[in-house]
Amino acid sequence: MAATITASAVRTCFGDGPATWDALLRGDCGAAPMRRVDPRRVGVSHGYPIADDRPFGPGRWLADCVTEALAAAGVDPLRRRVVSLVGTGLRESAEVERAALAGRVDFPAERLHFGPAVTGAAPGVDRVVTLANACSAGGHALALAQDLVETGEADAVLVGGTDGSTASMLAMIGRVAARPTERIRPFDADRTGVLLGDGAVVLVVEADRPGAGLARLLGTGLSCDAGHETAPDRDGILRAVHDAHRRAGRRPEQVDLVLAHGTGTALNDETEARVLAEVFAGCAPGPLVTALKGAVGHTSGGSALLSVAVAIEALRTGQVPPVVGLSRLASEAAGLRLVRDRAVAAAPRVAQVDAFGFGGLNAVTLLEAS
């Protein structure tokens, strides 16, 4: 039995959900010079920041999305059993860094796990559980949400994902990159590395309601291969893809669209491209493939859910946004039907969302148009 995604709320460098979708269809790039962190300290000059006049904070973006998603779904946590699952990679580490610089050591531990952010925006939520599963955290949260509603443990689940740029994570990126990059170029032969993007996403998952909601959540395949700290493992990714197809009851030839992880790094792009070519071999003409990080950056714990939110819009509207930053195709991606240069009109029914995290934490989700 499938579950239904009944609402979606998004915050990225472009703004809210509609603003982000419009920017993606135009092929805009949200990369901008670093402002909150001194580039000389971290070795990174650019990112994909959320720019507004309020204080920085993933918890605040998450709370805004919780309020918007609950209103859109018509779900009242005071009247129904609502659980919240939040996927993240960095949690509120940026706030901890600021507190430390200000000489404060009393940062409340519960704020790290976004409990106050969620319950402040949604009084009556039964409990808030945080999953710090790196870049696939949102996908893992979505898998658990489907279990909760299908087993009757919750009437609805707020599935969130959020992260913001931290000095510590930026410094790591600055040390591992061969040279500074100004933008992400997924599947491009001239890619120069990954950059972080600010963002938050909240989806509302409820029990299956045919004909209602934004999309049916068919299933999420998971794997944890632990093969390397950062390098993706082909076999582990394949296990997650096959697990997703099995859980969803779909064959590769039934997948019309893939939202790739597409980090613009040599190890990820090459491995993911080869896996997709293997999975969809013989599926003429094969699914359309797009990726978001060239437009919005790597939103870490929110990246899987952001791809799900965009996949939902593609299923609903028949429009597929292009891969931003793709100019000269990498050889390993030559066999993929990558959407390039401009959005294309299509009629996808089933979409696959890839999310691969450090340590081999993989989550692959299948959605179907409602």
Side-chain angles (χ1 to χ4, degrees):
M1 180 179 70
T4 298
I5 298 173
T6 58
S8 167
V10 168
R11 296 293 183 278
T12 71
C13 56
F14 294 122
D16 63 8
T20 297
W21 177 245
D22 289 345
L24 291 173
L25 290 180
R26 291 193 301 267
D28 293 349
C29 175
M34 294 294 299
R35 295 188 307 160
R36 290 189 293 267
V37 177
D38 184 350
R40 294 169 298 182
R41 290 178 56 222
V42 297
V44 178
S45 62
H46 286 68
Y48 292 76
I50 289 178
D52 59 31
D53 297 329
R54 296 183 296 172
F56 172 87
R60 177 172 56 76
W61 308 327
L62 180 69
D64 289 346
C65 288
V66 166
T67 300
E68 181 182 327
L70 283 175
V75 171
D76 183 355
L78 295 173
R79 296 177 179 273
R80 301 178 65 189
R81 296 174 304 152
V82 179
V83 173
S84 178
L85 304 174
V86 181
T88 185
L90 305 173
R91 291 178 270 194
E92 286 279 23
S93 297
E95 290 299 308
V96 175
E97 291 174 350
R98 269 182 281 281
L101 288 173
R104 293 189 288 111
V105 294
D106 60 346
F107 190 88
E110 63 269 16
R111 280 190 56 193
L112 283 173
H113 304 286
F114 301 111
V118 173
T119 57
V125 167
D126 186 46
R127 59 189 182 275
V128 181
V129 178
T130 300
L131 290 75
N133 283 22
C135 313
S136 62
H140 283 79
L142 199 58
L144 290 174
Q146 184 168 0
D147 287 346
L148 287 171
V149 298
E150 290 184 351
T151 58
E153 292 295 317
D155 296 325
V157 182
L158 292 170
V159 188
T162 187
D163 266 314
S165 303
T166 67
S168 53
M169 189 65 178
L170 288 167
M172 188 195 77
I173 291 175
R175 288 180 67 86
V176 301
R179 61 185 186 276
T181 183
E182 296 184 352
R183 63 185 299 182
I184 300 176
R185 300 179 178 276
F187 302 108
D188 191 271
D190 301 314
R191 59 202 166 207
T192 53
V194 71
L195 293 172
L196 296 183
D198 295 338
V201 182
V202 171
L203 307 175
V204 178
V205 176
E206 302 181 63
D208 194 19
R209 292 188 291 163
L214 303 179
R216 298 180 68 223
L217 177 56
L218 297 178
T220 297
L222 306 174
S223 68
C224 180
D225 51 67
H228 190 272
E229 295 92 334
T230 58
D233 180 81
R234 167 193 169 274
D235 293 339
I237 291 173
L238 275 171
R239 284 197 302 273
V241 173
H242 293 320
D243 187 27
H245 291 188
R246 178 184 61 80
R247 291 175 183 273
R250 298 294 185 274
R251 301 182 304 278
E253 60 266 28
Q254 293 176 288
V255 176
D256 307 303
L257 172 65
V258 174
L259 273 289
H261 191 57
T263 60
T265 58
L267 292 178
N268 176 91
D269 286 6
E270 180 174 352
T271 302
E272 185 172 19
R274 296 190 188 286
V275 165
L276 291 176
E278 180 174 345
V279 169
F280 296 107
C283 300
L288 292 170
V289 180
T290 191
L292 308 181
K293 292 178 178 63
V296 298
H298 193 337
T299 52
S300 190
S303 61
L305 297 183
L306 179 58
S307 289
V308 169
V310 171
I312 288 170
E313 287 304 299
L315 293 174
R316 294 178 64 233
T317 66
Q319 294 290 310
V320 180
V323 180
V324 174
L326 176 53
S327 299
R328 192 165 71 92
L329 188 65
S331 59
E332 66 270 9
L336 303 181
R337 293 180 66 204
L338 284 156
V339 180
R340 303 177 60 180
D341 303 323
R342 62 184 61 83
V344 300
R349 292 291 304 169
V350 176
Q352 174 178 312
V353 173
D354 291 349
F356 313 132
F358 284 172
L361 289 165
N362 305 310
V364 176
T365 298
L366 258 63
L367 309 165
E368 186 173 57
S370 61

